[in-house]
Amino acid sequence: MRVGFAGLGAMGGGMCRRLADRGYEVAVLDLDAEAVRRAAAHPGVTAAPDVPGLAAPVVVTMLPDGAAVRQVADALLPALEPGTVIVDTGSSAPSDTLELGRRAAGFGVAVVDSPVSGSPAAARAGELTLMAAGDADALAGAEGVLSALGRIHRVGPAGAGHALKALNNLLSAVNLAAVAEVMLAGRAFGLEPAVMLEVVNASTGRNHASETKLPDHVLSGTFDSGFALRLMLKDIRIAAALQEEAGGPAPFGTACRELWERAGTELGADADNVEVVRWLENAAGRELRA
């Protein structure tokens, strides 16, 4: 089966290779010609000549936001056969997903939002968490492709996957900032970061930031999680808008968005998301690394 794949960044590059390893013929496209060259060197992956050249029964996008997905879709939809499924695996706003679905329906094409959670290594190994949402028939048509990438969770109607992805990333951002904050306080009392993490991770405060991000990407001094701060901030803003729309109290979400916005302004567009810890270290006047 042929699959089109647009977006070959840290996640998409591994995902397209994983699909090829599972027997799919994958046509790929990205604005970065070098990323396309690297992907096409993998058996089963070929470079599409242009956006219409991605046409296939299932087309996967792993792009920065809904605007980028819409740009690809505008050029792609006229080239697609009715019954095609477009799967947006990136982090788009739910409203963008619903609008794309309405436009695609005019071409007889279905849209599934199935954002993913996991690392670039998990993308390559097919161990992602997929938050799949949309029409049942469309999900069934994309199930083989999605199952090759990881574990599928069917979470609801169109847009629900992107809503859950943004809310999950908001929680992830809260956890990262909170772990760094308490560890910096512990550092002021002479506690060693490795000791703090050992105890926290054996106790009720443990979370993904304490178990993975801090030990692997902060204490190591690499700050290289592979997920840009600007993309995390985009998801935080989407989640904050959803919280506002829901009308409930959201003090943690509001505080998190404000903190990450300040960090993003000072750290710059190319910063990794875990560099928010470096920003907190600078504010505290102490480092977590020995």
Side-chain angles (χ1 to χ4, degrees):
M1 178 178 173
R2 176 178 164 90
V3 175
F5 201 106
L8 303 175
M11 298 296 288
M15 291 165 67
C16 75
R17 290 170 174 81
R18 169 66 180 179
L19 291 174
D21 289 345
R22 292 293 295 268
Y24 290 96
E25 298 176 2
V26 187
V28 300
L29 192 65
D30 193 278
L31 292 175
D32 184 344
E34 178 59 22
V36 173
R37 188 197 65 77
R38 290 194 303 267
H42 191 82
V45 180
T46 59
D50 49 27
V51 174
L54 293 172
V58 176
V59 178
V60 179
T61 63
M62 173 49 84
L63 297 167
D65 53 36
V69 175
R70 176 61 183 267
Q71 186 176 2
V72 169
D74 284 345
L76 180 61
L77 283 169
L80 297 180
E81 295 289 335
T84 295
V85 181
I86 296 175
V87 183
D88 181 359
T89 62
S91 300
S92 301
S95 57
D96 290 339
T97 305
L98 296 175
E99 174 58 31
L100 176 59
R102 288 189 287 267
R103 174 163 168 70
F107 293 84
V109 172
V111 172
V112 166
D113 52 308
S114 184
V116 302
S117 182
S119 66
R124 184 67 184 84
E127 296 173 351
L128 296 170
T129 297
L130 298 103
M131 310 167 203
D135 176 78
D137 289 341
L139 284 168
E143 186 170 8
V145 171
L146 295 178
S147 63
L149 297 172
R151 183 179 179 186
I152 304 171
H153 298 264
R154 296 197 178 192
V155 300
H162 281 143
L164 182 53
K165 169 65 174 181
L167 292 168
N168 173 79
N169 278 11
L170 172 60
L171 185 57
S172 177
V174 168
N175 285 338
L176 177 57
V179 171
E181 182 178 294
V182 299
M183 288 189 65
L184 285 166
R187 193 76 162 131
F189 280 89
L191 288 164
E192 291 296 325
V195 172
M196 285 188 277
L197 284 179
E198 180 182 357
V199 174
V200 166
N201 289 334
S203 304
T204 57
R206 65 185 180 274
N207 54 61
H208 183 259
S210 68
E211 292 180 333
T212 301
K213 287 187 174 182
L214 266 292
D216 291 356
H217 307 297
V218 174
L219 299 190
S220 66
T222 58
F223 294 93
D224 61 349
S225 75
F227 186 53
L229 188 150
R230 70 180 183 279
L231 297 179
M232 178 68 92
L233 181 53
K234 176 206 64 180
D235 291 347
I236 291 169
R237 286 169 172 156
I238 292 172
L242 292 172
Q243 288 182 316
E244 183 176 354
E245 184 179 340
F252 289 108
T254 300
C256 182
R257 176 178 55 79
E258 292 173 351
L259 183 152
W260 282 75
E261 285 179 340
R262 293 198 301 273
T265 298
E266 295 186 24
L267 290 169
D270 295 329
D272 191 283
N273 88 98
V274 296
E275 289 190 60
V276 72
V277 180
R278 194 197 302 273
W279 182 79
L280 289 167
E281 289 177 329
N282 291 338
R286 66 184 71 91
E287 292 185 353
L288 293 177
R289 296 170 306 288

